[in-house]
Amino acid sequence: MKVNLMHGAGGEVMGELLSVITKFENNNAGGIGLESLDDGAVIPVGDQKIVFTTDSHVVHPIFFPGGDIGRIAVSGTVNDLAMMGGRPIALSCAMVIQEGFDVADLERIVASMDAALGEVGASVVTGDTKVLERGSLDGIIINTAGVGVANHVVRDNGLRPGDVIISSGTLGDHGLAIMAHREGFDLGEQIKSDVAPLWGMVERALAAGEIHAMKDPTRGGFANAINEMASKAGVHVEIDEEALPIRTSVRSAAAMLGIDPLEVANEGKTIMGVPADDVEAVLKALRSHKYGKDAAIIGRVTEGSGVVMKTKIGGERFIEAPIGDPVPRVC
């Protein structure tokens, strides 16, 4: 089968692609991370649990309301570690830069990366730079890899019947900020990206109670994340539409652009599955942090399969994972 790669590729094409790029015959720590397609790998070293992840960043435009490619590059990798319970320690940074790229813009990007690192106490410890001829790429591409240490590993497949679903904050902010900016809408401070490194917030939540599953709703948004979590765990999730934290400005922009805010990326949020006995303590811990002040209970886990939303008018509708990526190049 010949696979043509394109932006927003559908599930069948992505499935075929993943079957190719995860087909390693040589020992790769037992395939840890690859067979579950989690955000990172957990590598046991003695009595330590080392969490390792990598990500490439091609967001367009590179500067947008609320952030830039530098802040996303650090936050994305830090958050992948945090979603697995890993305290970020060290990151690598590789940049592919187009000839003629503005040095002032590069300085601004690096300063943004430094600020995000400072929020979580991590460091960039190694890196690489390549320069390509003009016209070879769109400005700059950044790859970051990260290493963290986890006392208790959290997976995205751990939901159990009886768990409560928590969103750490408002949904759809990043994707709508990017899309509105691309379309030339000047919305001022009404909509801006939520991009942020979440370890500080997640650390408080982990200390407050048990967390069975955790995932950041990046590409494909909340709809993709909650479906992936439910599918991997083999459970049914019921979401309360009225409880979903979505800003009025985001709803309005989404309606104007014809986009479902549940299907666009978030870069500073997490979705958690928490036992009912621990939910109040975890919720309080999240709300005590600046990035979790809008945390809310949005649903529950039961036996069965699929994700259903209880609507405001008393009906039900399925929440399905988006086909392809509604807003490509958001990270």
Side-chain angles (χ1 to χ4, degrees), residues 55-300:
D55 206 352
S56 296
H57 309 274
V58 295
V59 63
H60 175 74
I62 59 174
F63 298 105
F64 48 84
D68 56 56
I69 191 172
R71 186 166 177 80
I72 280 189
V74 169
S75 297
T77 294
V78 164
N79 293 347
D80 281 349
L81 297 174
M83 293 307 104
M84 300 184 74
R87 174 173 61 87
I89 296 174
L91 277 69
S92 69
C93 173
M95 296 184 177
V96 183
I97 306 170
Q98 181 176 254
E99 176 190 7
F101 191 77
D102 193 317
V103 172
D105 284 349
L106 185 59
E107 290 175 341
R108 181 178 168 188
I109 289 167
V110 171
S112 185
M113 296 177 74
D114 191 39
L117 288 163
E119 289 189 49
V120 295
S123 302
V124 168
V125 296
T126 188
D128 182 54
T129 304
K130 295 290 188 296
V131 177
L132 295 185
E133 65 274 14
R134 211 179 287 265
S136 296
L137 70 155
D138 187 13
I140 185 170
I141 296 172
I142 301 178
N143 173 275
T144 47
V147 174
V149 177
N151 293 324
H152 174 68
V153 175
V154 181
R155 294 283 191 181
D156 63 3
N157 64 354
L159 291 178
R160 305 175 192 176
D163 282 353
V164 175
I165 302 296
I166 294 176
S167 172
S168 68
T170 55
L171 299 171
D173 297 352
H174 176 72
L176 265 298
I178 292 287
M179 193 65 179
H181 191 60
R182 283 182 192 165
E183 295 299 319
F185 298 124
D186 183 6
L187 302 175
E189 291 293 308
Q190 294 184 63
I191 302 179
K192 61 181 182 179
S193 172
D194 61 349
V195 58
L198 298 179
W199 169 246
M201 181 191 73
V202 170
E203 184 179 28
R204 292 185 190 182
L206 289 169
E210 187 174 3
I211 298 173
H212 285 160
M214 191 159 38
K215 191 171 186 65
D216 54 340
T218 53
R219 278 169 295 189
F222 171 76
N224 188 68
I226 197 64
N227 271 281
E228 198 169 316
M229 294 172 79
S231 176
K232 286 183 177 182
V235 296
H236 175 75
V237 176
E238 293 182 355
I239 299 298
D240 180 359
E241 184 178 25
E242 288 193 293
L244 287 170
I246 302 175
R247 300 182 196 278
T248 301
S249 56
V250 168
R251 287 188 188 276
S252 299
M256 183 170 56
L257 294 167
I259 296 174
D260 185 344
L262 298 183
E263 294 185 357
V264 298
N266 308 267
E267 291 292 340
K269 301 298 187 308
T270 177
I271 305 301
M272 296 178 171
V274 179
D277 289 344
D278 289 336
V279 68
E280 291 302 327
V282 171
L283 195 61
K284 182 178 179 181
L286 289 170
R287 288 174 175 170
S288 73
H289 194 278
K290 64 180 180 179
Y291 294 140
K293 59 184 177 62
D294 296 317
I297 295 170
I298 61 171
R300 299 188 179 275

Side-chain angles (χ1 to χ4, degrees), residues 299-320:
R300 299 188 179 275
V301 181
T302 62
E303 293 184 356
S305 62
V307 180
V308 169
M309 182 162 67
K310 303 283 187 180
T311 66
K312 295 177 181 179
I313 60 173
E316 295 183 352
R317 75 171 178 89
F318 285 104
I319 297 178
E320 298 184 358

